[in-house]
Amino acid sequence: MRFVVLLFSLGSIVGYAKAVAGLGGYFFEKGRPDLIALGILFGTLSAGIALFLWKRYLVDAGAAENPTEER
């Protein structure tokens, strides 16, 4: 699970880097608004999935570490 979260985290970095690359193209008069939009979309989606999976992993790990006590 941690490896999958790592891959999605790296995917968010790649997505945002693509958005910055599309924005940086305007310095050379070759800007790409489609690349900016797709980079932001992919980066945000990938980061959201990574956060969701990490939160689920922490709940599972916490439950395994501290089993409920019967009274």
Side-chain angles (χ1 to χ4, degrees), residues 1 7 11 24 31 33 35 44 50 58-60 70:
M1 178 68 81
L7 290 178
L35 191 61
T44 304
L58 287 180
V59 169
D60 292 343
E70 294 184 21

Side-chain angles (χ1 to χ4, degrees), residues 32-53:
R32 302 260 322 261
D34 58 332
L35 191 61
I36 296 169
L38 287 176
I40 290 173
L41 178 68
F42 177 72
T44 304
L45 186 64
S46 182
I49 292 170
L51 287 172
F52 173 75
L53 290 176

Side-chain angles (χ1 to χ4, degrees), residues 1-10 50 53-54 57-58 61:
M1 178 68 81
R2 290 185 289 177
F3 186 70
V4 174
V5 171
L6 175 69
L7 290 178
F8 277 114
S9 297
L10 291 174
L53 290 176
W54 185 250
Y57 169 75
L58 287 180

